[in-house]
Amino acid sequence: ASFRNLSRPVGALDESNHAMLRDRYNVLKDQWQQVGAAGGATPPFHYGSHYSSAACVLHFLVRLEPFTTYALELQDGRFDVSDRLFYSVPKAFRHCATSSADVKELVPEFYYAPDFLRN
């Protein structure tokens, strides 16, 4: 398919990730119902991180000020490890679509501000 399926969040596009997320949620839900917070259970959740956070925005917009400066502030004055920097739209999509740990949604700039893609 040429277009992303918008009926699911990016972290659940891959069927195996979707199944893993449902399973984790159900296990946490069962534990929560059995022992609750007093018993040390974690409230049920699908994702351990948020799909849209300041760090996600900076990941994509690191080449565009003022985001470059903010990214440097976030990383104690240095750019993140080069393997983790955004450099390829297809690679970023493949990773988000197949990894349960990477759930970044696209930032609006993908649709109107191509300057963030230039070095």
Side-chain angles (χ1 to χ4, degrees), residues 18-87:
H18 191 214
M20 185 275 305
L21 291 167
R22 280 192 316 261
D23 292 346
R24 175 173 57 192
Y25 183 89
N26 288 331
V27 166
L28 291 172
K29 183 175 135 190
D30 291 345
Q31 290 173 350
W32 186 255
Q33 289 172 342
Q34 290 173 8
V35 297
T42 300
F45 63 88
H46 287 100
Y47 300 103
S49 65
H50 201 274
Y51 60 86
S52 180
S53 67
C56 292
V57 172
L58 296 178
H59 171 76
F60 287 120
L61 302 183
V62 68
R63 291 171 180 79
L64 190 64
E65 282 294 354
F67 304 103
T68 306
T69 299
Y70 298 148
L72 289 169
E73 289 175 8
L74 182 68
Q75 297 291 336
D76 295 323
R78 297 184 176 98
F79 286 105
D80 198 0
V81 177
S82 62
D83 289 349
R84 291 192 300 230
L85 291 175
F86 170 67
Y87 65 91

